[in-house]
């Protein structure tokens, strides 16, 4: 999100003829802003790039909401057909979370052209 991968992807798509209003964006399960604790300096660094990612954990410490940041970026680019999974990987026992378990695991995602 900080590196601007999503805006770069949308701009590349637009460069190839896509219309932002016809792009469909879905974000999958991810650690949520209430759970993604980071040092204050990191939150400030991220929020300087994307203010919508500024968050606070459920226990009152600095955090980042990556998904909120990505959706804000998409919104500014005119991608309005968006949905966000309500699943927080740290809170869900059905999902892998390094932050919760401190062990490695695997996640997969996919993209298709419809
Ligand atoms: Zn959470």
């Amino acid at each position: 999100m900080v590196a601007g991968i999503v805006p770069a992807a949308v701009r590349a798509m637009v460069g190839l003829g896509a219309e932002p209003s016809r792009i469909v964006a879905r974000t999958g399960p991810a650690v949520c802003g209430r759970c993604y604790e980071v040092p204050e300096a990191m939150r400030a660094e991220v929020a300087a790039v994307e203010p919508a990612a500024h968050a606070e954990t459920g226990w009152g410490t600095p955090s980042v909401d990556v998904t909120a940041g990505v959706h804000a970026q998409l919104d500014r680019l005119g991608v309005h057909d968006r949905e966000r999974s309500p699943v927080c990987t740290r809170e869900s026992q059905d999902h892998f979370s390094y932050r919760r378990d401190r062990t490695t695991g695997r996640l997969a995602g996919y993209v298709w052209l419809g």
Side-chain angles (χ1 to χ4, degrees):
M1 186 260 299
V2 172
I5 301 300
V6 168
V10 171
R11 287 188 192 103
M13 292 170 69
V14 170
L16 294 170
E19 295 177 31
S21 65
R22 296 188 62 221
I23 295 174
V24 176
R26 303 289 184 261
T27 50
V31 66
C32 78
R34 294 181 314 276
C35 293
Y36 193 5
E37 184 176 49
V38 297
E40 174 61 45
M42 181 183 289
R43 178 174 70 175
E45 181 180 324
V46 171
V49 174
E50 182 46 72
H54 185 280
E56 186 171 294
T57 62
W59 51 96
T61 58
S63 71
V64 168
D65 189 333
V66 176
T67 305
V70 167
H71 279 263
Q73 291 174 334
L74 287 165
D75 191 59
R76 283 195 300 276
L77 290 161
V79 179
H80 301 301
D81 186 351
R82 304 185 316 270
E83 287 184 21
R84 147 180 207 169
S85 168
V87 174
C88 168
T89 51
R90 184 175 176 274
E91 297 176 67
S92 169
Q93 294 302 313
D94 294 333
H95 293 76
F96 163 76
S97 172
Y98 177 78
R99 291 169 190 87
R100 180 188 64 227
D101 302 329
R102 298 296 175 195
T103 58
T104 59
R106 299 293 179 263
L107 296 173
Y110 57 92
V111 176
W112 74 97
L113 187 61

